[in-house]
Amino acid sequence: MAVEMLERADEGQLVPDPSRWAVEVRGLRKRFVTRQGLPVGWGFGNAHWIISSLLKYRQKREWKQAVDGVDLKVERGEVFGLLGPNGAGKTTLLKCLATLLSVDEGEAYVNGYSVRTQPDEVRLSMNLVGSGHWAAFDWGMTVVQNLHFFGALYGLSRSERSERIEHTLERLGLTARAKDTPMTLSAGERQRMLLAKGFMIRTPVFFLDEPTVGLDPDGAREVHEFITRELIGGSGTSGILTTHRMDEAEALCSRIAIMNRGRVVACGTPLELKRLVGERSVLEVRAVSVPREVVGEVRALPGVRAAALAPVGDESLEESLRVHCEDVEAIGRRVVGMLERAGAEVRSLESQDPTLEDAFIALTDRRLA
Ligand SMILES: Nc1ncnc2c1ncn2[C@@H]1O[C@H](COP(=O)(O)OP(=O)(O)O)[C@@H](O)[C@H]1O
Ligand SMILES: [Mg+2]
């Protein structure tokens, strides 16, 4: 079903159509060298390279395929979500689209420009707001001075800069910190400052990489409101937002691609994706000290389609086991019995509607957390 839902680009050569698509990606691949062979840092400087060249030493390289053949299209005016766990390849994909990384294979167009052959045009068309890139600030200048500096780099006049900075800081709840240096801000405030820097510059396409990382629930809500009002609310911009939080993807994105291990495993509206779970119900069991092998046993029960375990978070020791099954009551009783026999302490049991995470579980047997 996932394959059916996957929206494939048209066969043949990809011809960009920027009037309809803000971003078009076809067969994009990117891999990293993770090991060069000989150990590095053994104290001889270039000796390792010279010796290996002289001895024609065959280095055993290792690769990590971070993006493994991604196809997607982002419509004009749409906020498109990339939802996947850590390491799925979301940031790497955005960096390729932002021309910060070269592409190994495939092609991508941003605002109609090729990331391979028109990188300057791509850079003028888009704006990437990363997460935790706090080194991007001058720590000796105040928040406002930093923003003026970046605005000037983009060629904004002083009056344009002042107006946009004031507006953006107010919308992000940072006005009170305008005259402070980044050093004195909390992690959440710094993340908002990063967003302010990105949102101050208006480009046809934006890329937001995990925009609410490090924010508390109130901070995250402010950022969501800001994105909804300023970016989705009719400004004509389009973009891609990455997240590992299903609530964020659902709140902000009209369509979502679920990514796992470098691939898009499904793509559609939140509703279409949730339908991947099918007619089955979802049973959530909260328990403490769940032995890992029980999850496999639950998955093997007749009537169970998928099961996956993840910590609840929030410093709680509880874990949450989500089970996709036909008959919640019967399976619930059996699962509780299995968990208790295995030494787990069951705290609660509940039947729930499928979430976007359940779509991910149905496709991968893994949790997003
Ligand atoms: N510069 C790099 N060198 C080697 N491996 C990398 C590099 N950047 C990312 N990776 C690896 O590529 C995979 C995808 O990473 P990333 O795109 O950051 O995932 P995500 O943003 O979805 O968490 C991960 O396994 C990561 O360890
Ligand atoms: Mg990332």
Side-chain angles (χ1 to χ4, degrees):
M1 199 199 279
V3 177
E4 279 164 29
M5 283 192 60
L6 195 73
E7 290 175 13
R8 298 209 166 275
D10 302 334
E11 291 303 321
Q13 193 68 35
L14 178 65
V15 181
D17 177 5
S19 64
R20 174 139 191 236
W21 308 107
V23 179
E24 296 175 71
V25 180
R26 170 97 190 233
L28 195 96
R29 288 200 159 78
K30 177 71 191 175
R31 64 180 183 175
F32 295 109
V33 180
T34 51
R35 195 188 294 255
Q36 286 287 3
L38 282 173
V40 277
W42 55 334
F44 298 101
N46 281 337
H48 124 237
W49 180 79
I50 295 167
I51 293 167
S52 63
S53 309
L54 288 176
L55 299 179
K56 296 262 183 284
Y57 180 86
R58 272 228 173 269
Q59 296 198 1
K60 192 168 167 290
R61 286 188 166 196
E62 282 177 24
W63 305 90
K64 168 83 204 178
Q65 190 73 44
V67 177
D68 194 6
V70 164
D71 296 317
L72 52 89
K73 288 182 173 190
V74 177
E75 255 175 70
R76 284 265 169 226
E78 164 179 60
V79 177
F80 186 93
L82 283 180
L83 177 68
N86 285 331
K90 306 180 294 295
T91 300
T92 306
L93 177 57
L94 283 196
K95 284 185 176 170
C96 288
L97 295 179
T99 72
L100 290 175
L101 285 173
S102 63
V103 168
D104 291 338
E105 269 178 60
E107 185 52 284
Y109 294 90
V110 176
N111 203 27
Y113 300 111
S114 160
V115 298
R116 281 178 181 274
T117 58
Q118 297 165 295
D120 290 342
E121 286 84 351
V122 170
R123 284 174 205 156
L124 282 172
S125 303
M126 63 87 211
N127 192 356
L128 169 70
V129 180
S131 51
H133 293 170
W134 302 331
F137 300 122
D138 186 315
W139 293 65
M141 296 199 295
T142 65
V143 171
V144 167
Q145 285 167 341
N146 266 288
L147 295 178
H148 266 288
F149 173 69
F150 289 114
L153 289 182
Y154 274 84
L156 297 181
S157 70
R158 174 162 268 285
S159 60
E160 273 176 313
R161 291 194 313 254
S162 301
E163 189 201 320
R164 290 203 201 168
I165 290 171
E166 194 184 326
H167 175 80
T168 315
L169 288 181
E170 195 215 305
R171 291 303 172 96
L172 283 165
L174 273 179
T175 307
R177 308 304 311 259
K179 296 210 167 68
D180 297 324
T181 57
M183 192 84 80
T184 62
L185 304 184
S186 70
E189 285 167 335
R190 260 179 240 152
Q191 180 64 21
R192 277 188 272 159
M193 179 178 166
L194 205 57
L195 291 164
K197 178 187 152 197
F199 289 136
M200 197 178 70
I201 316 294
R202 287 302 167 87
T203 50
V205 180
F206 65 84
F207 299 129
L208 290 178
D209 194 13
E210 306 256 8
T212 55
V213 153
L215 300 188
D216 58 21
D218 282 343
R221 201 172 316 115
E222 276 168 35
V223 169
H224 287 174
E225 277 169 20
F226 182 86
I227 293 173
T228 311
R229 213 173 28 226
E230 302 288 310
L231 293 176
I232 306 174
S235 62
T237 50
S238 334
I240 301 183
L241 177 149
T242 77
T243 183
H244 62 272
R245 291 178 44 183
M246 56 174 180
D247 58 329
E248 184 161 284
E250 196 162 0
L252 300 176
C253 305
S254 49
R255 286 189 310 137
I256 295 165
I258 298 187
M259 270 191 93
N260 188 37
R261 302 195 169 121
R263 291 169 183 264
V264 172
V265 291
C267 178
T269 63
L271 197 65
E272 284 168 340
L273 292 171
K274 287 188 217 167
R275 289 210 187 109
L276 287 173
V277 182
E279 296 302 306
R280 283 165 288 274
S281 309
V282 178
L283 176 73
E284 194 201 38
V285 187
R286 296 269 180 114
V288 180
S289 339
V290 180
R292 293 293 169 272
E293 57 277 11
V294 182
V295 182
E297 290 168 23
V298 170
R299 219 173 268 149
L301 281 176
V304 170
R305 182 64 180 264
L309 182 74
V312 170
D314 306 332
E315 292 165 22
S316 153
L317 292 175
E318 275 182 27
E319 289 179 294
S320 143
L321 175 67
R322 291 186 82 79
V323 185
H324 299 181
C325 53
E326 309 283 351
D327 182 350
V328 179
E329 277 191 24
I331 296 289
R333 276 195 299 274
R334 292 194 67 177
V335 170
V336 169
M338 282 165 89
L339 286 171
E340 285 177 345
R341 275 195 300 283
E345 184 192 325
V346 176
R347 295 272 170 88
S348 69
L349 180 77
E350 204 176 284
S351 162
Q352 295 181 352
D353 290 332
T355 61
L356 280 177
E357 186 177 30
D358 288 307
F360 186 77
I361 294 171
L363 293 162
T364 64
D365 269 335
R366 294 174 69 198
R367 296 285 298 251
L368 285 169

